[in-house]
Amino acid sequence: MSLGFTLFILATIGSLIGLYGMFKKAAIEPWKALIPFYNTWCMVEKMPLKKYWFFLQFIPIVGQFITIWICIRFVEHFGRFSLLHHAATVFLPFLYFPYLGYSKNERYAGNAVVKNYKKSAAREWIDAGVFAVVAATIIRTFIFEAYVIPTGSMEKTLLVNDFLFVSKMSYGPRLPNTPLAIPFVHHTAPITGGKSYLEWIKLPYKRLWTTPLKRNDVVVFNYPVGDTVIGEYQSNLNYYDVLRDQYGGNREALLQRDDIIVRPVDKRENFIKRCVGIPGDTLQLKEGILYVNGQPGYVPEASATFYNVQTKGQYFDEDVLKEDFHVETNPERQQLLVGNNMNYMIDLSAEEAERMKKLPYVESIVKDVKQFNPGVFPNDTAHYKWSEDFYGPVWVPKKGATITLTPENIAFYSRVIAVYEHNTLEEKGGQFIINGIATNQYTFKMDYYWMMGDNRHNSQDSRFWGYVPEDHVVGKASLIWFSWDSGPRWKRLFKAIK
């Protein structure tokens, strides 16, 4: 049993013991305090409140906040109206309820004291502010969240500075692993630059309901290899690449740095990619063309890749590139690379490449295809000499599926087994030892997904770090509500994401 779960059980017991004493003071049979929901029914009857408040507790997500509100109203009937007492009700009921229930200085005052209490103007503003923060936090955590595209990995489907709504309901709202956190902040606190969350309470992975991802959905998820981060690089260069390429696998040497950060799942960097592979799929790339289960995969209309363009001695006009071919010429955007002898590498969609080919000053245009890249997943060049364009076949793990582990495939699944599914894994004398038992079989506990950016040559995705576990999935990107590039991109406003 985890420490967080143990503390949760102890806190629940403390709260119920406190309610037992509070019920006794309120002349309610105290044993009723020990029965979940029946205790709130008794509070609603005693105060009294409208009966519908009891039933509103059963609304998903919102209901738990209704329960908290009922408890706050019950505390007010003990004559406790201050913000401090209400905060204690919300955050420390396992200490505060026993105090109210058993302290000789506290008594149940009843409905008369509530009717006679008048809030100050300042308190009205504070209560309104707290309500707004709580309501916005509920919406952001469980319903939808605004998200801005920071990089060009999804171009030209999604552009840098597209502002999106991400639906948390599409795949089932995920409970936070670290509920003690600064509202509206992801992993880094403003001003101080420290962690925005506390790990005193750690909750296991749980969705209120689960709806599977669909192949080709555009998905926001937590960066799977972002569990350990080098502060200098953040997600721009992942810890495991640095460990392998710069430190030769010497973990002790890398950990001597003073900017190593370890993050729980829900506080890892948010990434956005297209889900091209669902559990059980087999994927392969041939000359940059995706095949799923042996069939050509979906090609997003605006997806881009690099083309080698040779002109007839003429320079490209930057305005033409921007206006006619949606190519950003700023070097930081990495959509235009200028070579020698009027040779360019240009990031284009297939349709844009066909139009550019017809320009009178273009000599030739050829799709750029990478032949070999030792940096692609699973980083095992002894068995797999792949690239981002010649890749696979690779199988996507499925919950409940059992595989036979071999020296040839262990590189695909070692992180899944040891990190994502929390087992111990060793290799000794040609044998695999999982949780102390020698075996060559493994059954997956979760579903996994394969994510790729629509900008195939400018995307850090599953081709470089592997599978995305189901517990890392945040939500579905559904709508572009605003877009900006030196002014609003009016045509992109309120555009559905496909």
Side-chain angles (χ1 to χ4, degrees), residues 377-389:
F377 177 79
N379 308 112
D380 179 4
T381 54
H383 297 104
Y384 308 101
K385 300 189 185 315
W386 295 348
S387 74
E388 49 265 64
D389 291 321

Side-chain angles (χ1 to χ4, degrees), residues 2-3 53 59 128 139 152 171 177 189 223 235 271 279 358-359 400 445 474:
S2 68
L3 178 60
W53 286 110
I59 298 175
I139 292 169
Y171 309 124
N177 301 120
Y223 187 35
S235 62
F271 270 37
K358 297 175 183 178
L359 294 176
K445 302 173 186 176
V474 174

Side-chain angles (χ1 to χ4, degrees), residues 130-248:
V130 170
F131 174 80
V133 169
V134 170
T137 300
I138 293 171
I139 292 169
R140 183 176 183 269
T141 303
F142 298 110
I143 301 175
F144 69 84
E145 181 177 359
Y147 182 85
V148 61
I149 299 296
T151 70
S153 70
M154 284 295 291
E155 289 182 339
K156 301 175 182 178
T157 303
L158 299 174
L159 307 182
V160 173
N161 289 333
D162 276 349
F163 291 77
L164 318 177
F165 282 138
V166 176
S167 169
K168 305 289 186 74
M169 306 289 280
S170 295
Y171 309 124
R174 183 182 62 168
L175 297 180
N177 301 120
T178 49
L180 300 180
I182 299 173
F184 316 127
V185 176
H186 189 39
H187 52 59
T188 303
I191 302 175
T192 66
K195 291 182 178 181
S196 66
Y197 54 93
L198 296 172
E199 297 184 76
W200 298 347
I201 298 176
K202 293 183 180 180
L203 301 180
Y205 166 61
K206 177 68 177 175
R207 291 187 190 274
L208 297 185
W209 63 83
T210 301
T211 303
L213 278 69
K214 294 179 181 177
R215 194 184 291 116
N216 304 318
D217 282 355
V218 177
V219 180
V220 173
F221 55 92
N222 297 117
Y223 187 35
V225 291
D227 54 337
T228 308
V229 178
I230 301 172
E232 177 184 356
Y233 305 123
Q234 293 295 319
S235 62
N236 295 320
L237 189 60
N238 86 61
Y239 167 89
Y240 298 97
D241 285 346
V242 173
L243 175 63
R244 182 182 62 252
D245 300 336
Q246 298 182 23
Y247 287 80

